[in-house]
Amino acid sequence: ELIAEHKLEAEMFATSLGVDATLLLLSMPFSDPKKIDQVLGYELESQILGELDGLVYDSVISTTRLGEGGTSTTNVIAVAAQKDVVRAHVEALAAIGAEPRVIGAAALSYAALRGHGYADTGPGGEGETQAIVDFGHLHTNVCVVRGGTVLFARSIPRGGEDVTVAIAEQFRMSPADAVQAKHAQAFLAAPGSAFASPAHQRVDAVVRDALRPLMRELKQTIAAFR
């Protein structure tokens, strides 16, 4: 609709996969990208259920550490997705004139955007490690970056829909009414805040309980990175 309304002509289209893309952190005893490409399939085969023939996969180099004797250990973030899922995305976008030239993993995309949100020097600058958390409706993407390099990434299948479902169940609302109530009235009270009414306290409790599993997953994600 935006393309038609503003008569836009895009040079190219890009899209990304969320929880449909599997992310794996692999360690390899060399840093040559050509060697990594050659063995990536074998490494994935031992960790992913199913045949590689049904997958499309790729990788990015995260970090490389030199050890004794000049040996190196390279951390590689591998991404794999079912070919039929990727094909469905391409066909759906092609049907509206937006066939993508690039398909990425959503959780890996934030390193490219990081420079737009943080200065290169000072607090939050080039030398600092940052965790970017994109809280979405169906899933939450976490990307740990330093400069323009992705150190760790994960897509968690939890998000705003969990709050919608909790409101619908606790207040006996239809899904549509629960969405409106979430947008207009849902909140989390700051620690030590006084509630205006018992109803406000109940809303806080419902939202807090709905988000608790996601908070637990986020803590586990940061712990896994450390």
Side-chain angles (χ1 to χ4, degrees):
E1 290 178 353
L2 285 171
I3 291 170
E5 179 181 347
H6 297 283
K7 299 179 180 179
L8 301 175
E9 293 184 7
E11 293 182 5
M12 65 172 286
F13 290 94
T15 187
S16 63
L17 300 175
V19 292
D20 291 324
T22 299
L23 298 174
L24 295 169
L25 183 63
L26 307 173
S27 292
M28 298 188 181
F30 42 77
S31 59
D32 187 342
K34 292 183 179 180
K35 289 185 178 180
I36 292 173
D37 287 342
Q38 290 172 355
V39 303
L40 183 60
Y42 299 106
E43 293 289 336
L44 289 175
E45 204 166 27
S46 64
Q47 300 198 38
I48 294 181
L49 297 177
E51 298 292 331
L52 285 180
D53 290 344
L55 297 176
V56 57
Y57 54 87
D58 202 352
S59 67
V60 294
I61 293 177
S62 174
T63 56
T64 299
R65 295 182 180 179
L66 291 177
E68 296 180 359
T71 59
S72 63
T73 301
T74 301
N75 285 333
V76 175
I77 300 176
V79 186
Q82 295 291 333
K83 286 183 179 179
D84 56 352
V85 172
V86 176
R87 186 179 298 111
H89 276 263
V90 172
E91 291 176 350
L93 290 168
I96 61 170
E99 183 174 355
R101 187 183 301 175
V102 175
I103 300 177
L108 290 176
S109 66
Y110 302 97
L113 301 176
R114 175 211 154 275
H116 296 285
Y118 300 95
D120 287 335
T121 58
E126 189 74 20
E128 291 197 2
T129 302
Q130 300 156 337
I132 300 172
V133 180
D134 185 0
F135 180 79
H137 180 60
L138 294 176
H139 53 268
T140 298
N141 293 318
V142 182
C143 184
V144 181
V145 299
R146 183 183 298 121
T149 302
V150 178
L151 303 179
F152 192 85
R154 186 185 177 200
S155 188
I156 302 170
R158 295 185 180 278
E161 186 185 42
D162 297 326
V163 178
T164 303
V165 171
I167 290 175
E169 291 178 350
Q170 293 296 321
F171 294 94
R172 298 182 181 180
M173 292 181 172
S174 68
D177 289 341
V179 169
Q180 291 184 353
K182 178 180 70 173
H183 291 167
Q185 298 174 312
F187 69 96
L188 283 171
S193 298
F195 293 102
S197 67
H200 278 196
Q201 186 172 7
R202 186 183 177 194
V203 170
D204 170 81
V206 170
V207 175
R208 195 172 297 274
D209 286 344
L211 293 178
R212 187 167 284 115
L214 173 59
M215 296 301 105
R216 183 168 58 247
E217 294 278 0
L218 286 175
K219 288 181 180 180
Q220 291 174 351
T221 299
I222 299 300
F225 166 70
R226 285 175 176 166

